[in-house]
Amino acid sequence: MTLVIVGHDLQPSLSFLDDGAISLESNGIFVATDSAITRDYRDGRQIVLAGFRKAYAITAKLWQPSFIGEHFNGYRTVYQEIDCVLAFAGGVLTAQHIMNSITEHLGKLRITYIESDGGAGAYMSGSV
């Protein structure tokens, strides 16, 4: 069984350095998981692999459309990058497949223009 603990530091922490300066650390997210992969045997559960990461930092990339004049010319540059955390519990092979799919998906987010029936459109985020 895997236990995943996630929390958020709501209070910034102040610390006083030896030279009299003050250090202010920003708020953040913390994640703690176990790192063992176990298997049930006839004589009980045993650890198959220790030290396996079950939490990952993933960068979501929102790509900006490129235009030559009024003509769409693909997605050439990243408009915005945001880091997020993904943790999993459960079957390792399934989790790795899902982690790969999510990482691919979040790396290919696109800004898209959707036209409405009234002629006015809107920009939306989507993915390939």
Side-chain angles (χ1 to χ4, degrees):
M1 182 165 98
T2 295
L3 177 64
V4 177
I5 301 170
V6 179
H8 186 270
D9 180 18
L10 296 175
Q11 298 291 327
S13 62
L14 285 172
S15 56
F16 297 93
L17 305 177
D18 292 337
D19 62 358
I22 298 174
S23 172
L24 176 64
E25 294 186 19
S26 63
N27 298 333
I29 294 174
F30 64 88
V31 178
T33 67
D34 72 332
S35 63
I37 297 174
T38 59
R39 182 172 174 164
D40 290 326
Y41 291 99
R42 281 184 254 167
D43 55 346
R45 183 170 287 205
Q46 295 180 357
I47 294 176
V48 176
L49 178 65
F52 188 82
R53 289 178 53 202
K54 295 181 181 177
Y56 295 87
I58 297 173
T59 302
K61 295 180 180 180
L62 181 60
W63 290 81
Q64 180 175 333
S66 173
F67 294 94
I68 297 176
E70 295 180 1
H71 301 285
F72 177 69
N73 190 34
Y75 294 92
R76 307 267 184 239
T77 58
V78 174
Y79 174 72
Q80 187 175 20
E81 290 186 15
I82 299 171
D83 291 326
C84 56
V85 175
L86 184 63
F88 68 88
V92 175
L93 293 175
T94 303
Q96 285 299 307
H97 173 69
I98 297 301
M99 292 281 295
N100 290 340
S101 296
I102 291 172
T103 301
E104 276 294 307
H105 180 75
L106 290 178
K108 296 180 178 177
L109 297 175
R110 308 289 194 248
I111 297 174
T112 305
Y113 184 78
I114 306 292
E115 288 191 33
S116 65
D117 293 336
Y123 285 98
M124 303 181 72
S125 296
S127 65
V128 173

